[in-house]
Amino acid sequence: MDPAMDEVMTETPAPAAGAVSADQAKLALRRVKDPELNLNIVDLGLVYDISVEGSTVRVDMSLTSPGCPSGPEIMGEAEQQIRTLPGVTDVQMNLVWSPPWTPERIEPRVRAYMGF
């Protein structure tokens, strides 16, 4: 597991056979890219929390700014990617602004690549 995500992932019991895990949801969210930066939302630090209860996946995430023009597109794609996972019957996407996103939330190796 990515150490940076340890604090993002909510501890959940081991999934039952056929149930989705928070790790599987995180992998699905890695397929969602910010169209302006062309980086996935997990590495950008936009995913704050992933929790799974039964067949419901809840994702708390933010955007780089409240006025992000790609916000609806990113949120919609994130929900769509979670829904592709076998065993998921409901997805709850929550847009949160606290704590505010800052570049310090970006995965360190990606930050270094970007020159931060």
Side-chain angles (χ1 to χ4, degrees), residues 63 66-79 95:
L63 299 170
C68 177
S70 301
E73 177 185 348
I74 293 169
M75 296 287 292
E77 178 67 16
E79 180 177 350
L95 183 59

Side-chain angles (χ1 to χ4, degrees), residues 34-74:
D34 179 300
E36 294 174 352
L37 300 173
N38 200 33
L39 296 168
N40 77 68
I41 63 174
V42 173
D43 285 350
L44 282 174
L46 296 176
V47 178
Y48 286 15
D49 187 52
I50 301 169
S51 60
V52 179
E53 290 184 30
S55 61
T56 299
V57 177
R58 177 188 163 117
V59 178
D60 291 346
M61 65 174 287
S62 193
L63 299 170
T64 55
S65 73
C68 177
S70 301
E73 177 185 348
I74 293 169

Side-chain angles (χ1 to χ4, degrees), residues 1-9 26 30 42 47 50 107:
M1 181 184 314
D2 181 352
M5 284 299 292
D6 287 346
E7 64 194 49
V8 174
M9 307 285 279
K26 180 180 111 176
R30 285 189 177 278
V42 173
V47 178
I50 301 169
E107 164 70 34

Side-chain angles (χ1 to χ4, degrees), residues 10-16 18-23 25 49-60 82 87-92 94:
T10 299
E11 279 297 318
T12 56
V20 68
S21 70
D23 285 338
D49 187 52
I50 301 169
S51 60
V52 179
E53 290 184 30
S55 61
T56 299
V57 177
R58 177 188 163 117
V59 178
D60 291 346
I82 297 290
V88 172
T89 59
D90 191 27
V91 178
Q92 297 174 358
N94 302 301

